Amino acid sequence: MPSGRRRFGRYDWDAIAGIVAAGAALVLHFLHIVEVEVLLAIALVLLALLLLRDLRRESGDEAAEERLARTEAAVAALAASLRRPDVVLIGPRDLRRASAEFARRARGEVTWFNVCLLMFRPQELFDVLLRPALENPAVTTVRFILDPSQGDLWETELLPKVHAIGAGSRLAPPVWVPLREEAVSFILTDTDAGTTEAHLSFWGEPFMSRAAGLDIPRFVLHVQPGSELLVQLSEMERRYRTARAPAT
């Protein structure tokens, strides 16, 4: 019943009334009950009514357009007021794709801070995590800031793979500095958009997973451009870069 009422309400009753009146006038004219002058008068009245109806509709359309414009402006203002998140969590399902995209966007110098070089032992992980940056023509240098305990792995795991792809000229000598007390690990770089971004992780569960003796990132925080956290990471990178491992 309600649906029938809605259909009933959608009919254009002004037009229906005009059609009925015009039909009745023609029938009366054919029956010689109404003269031509009366028929013309009826036609003029109907045209006037239809014109008034169109004017009302045009006024309604203008009001609807104004409401739509106000709504669009309100939505645009709301969207502009929404802040982009400073940090986005990247999980295991998207980690490899996000890492490769991050490396492809990089430019200038890319800094790897406090990573475990064992994760580059599998050729597949090296190809996904580090190779895109080394082969990115916009990247001039890839630099590692590492704990001295990573020295043997640097020689046995990383350098052979880098030289195998002919990217040794882009790999800067590492900065050796004690990092055992640091719980953070990150990659810091400028991007092709002229901004700075970082991939930040933490040692231990749940951010790192240990499989076959390898500490492999499981979750990474993508630190977005403009985040205040980037200032802290850049300061940490600068502080350790200027430090040196104690003499042995």
Side-chain angles (χ1 to χ4, degrees):
M1 188 69 178
S3 60
R5 290 178 179 175
R6 285 196 294 268
R7 288 195 300 270
F8 186 78
R10 284 199 297 265
Y11 293 142
D12 192 339
W13 291 107
D14 289 342
I16 292 174
I19 293 171
V20 171
L26 287 173
V27 170
L28 293 175
H29 175 66
F30 290 145
L31 295 175
H32 303 289
I33 298 174
V34 174
E35 300 295 333
V36 175
E37 292 79 5
V38 176
L39 188 63
L40 290 175
I42 293 174
L44 290 174
V45 171
L46 291 176
L47 288 174
L49 290 175
L50 291 174
L51 179 60
L52 289 175
R53 185 197 63 173
D54 290 341
L55 290 175
R56 289 199 305 271
R57 282 188 174 179
E58 185 175 336
S59 176
D61 291 342
E62 290 177 355
E65 289 178 0
E66 291 178 0
R67 289 195 297 271
L68 179 60
R70 288 197 297 269
T71 301
E72 290 177 346
V75 171
L78 180 60
S81 67
L82 295 176
R83 288 189 57 192
R84 186 180 183 182
D86 285 355
V87 175
V88 176
L89 180 66
I90 302 172
R93 183 177 301 175
D94 299 319
L95 185 54
R96 293 193 178 190
R97 175 192 56 78
S99 298
E101 290 178 356
F102 181 81
R104 283 192 288 268
R105 288 197 306 272
R107 72 174 186 181
E109 182 169 300
V110 180
T111 300
W112 289 68
F113 180 89
N114 195 25
V115 298
C116 177
L117 297 182
L118 269 176
M119 69 179 177
F120 296 126
R121 174 173 288 175
Q123 184 67 42
E124 181 184 4
L125 288 180
F126 172 84
D127 291 341
V128 170
L129 299 177
L130 185 57
R131 186 169 183 170
L134 291 169
E135 295 182 340
N136 182 348
V139 172
T140 58
T141 307
V142 175
R143 187 183 304 276
F144 284 80
I145 300 177
L146 299 169
D147 188 88
S149 63
Q150 300 282 317
D152 291 341
L153 295 174
W154 176 268
E155 297 292 336
T156 60
E157 299 297 340
L158 188 64
L159 286 182
K161 290 182 174 64
V162 173
H163 290 307
I165 63 173
S169 61
R170 289 191 177 176
L171 186 64
V175 176
W176 300 109
V177 61
L179 294 170
R180 288 184 178 275
E181 301 302 318
E182 287 294 347
V184 299
S185 173
F186 60 82
I187 311 169
L188 185 68
T189 184
D190 291 336
T191 70
D192 53 7
T195 58
T196 300
E197 297 181 9
H199 274 184
L200 171 65
S201 189
F202 297 88
W203 290 99
E205 294 285 349
F207 280 86
M208 294 280 185
S209 65
R210 190 163 184 82
L214 306 179
D215 287 307
I216 301 174
R218 177 186 293 155
F219 292 95
V220 166
L221 297 174
H222 182 193
V223 185
Q224 305 273 17
S227 170
E228 295 181 2
L229 185 56
L230 288 170
V231 178
Q232 301 300 320
L233 297 179
S234 298
E235 174 59 25
M236 181 181 293
E237 182 267 344
R238 185 198 65 78
R239 186 173 70 251
Y240 279 102
R241 184 194 289 247
T242 57
R244 289 292 182 269
T248 57

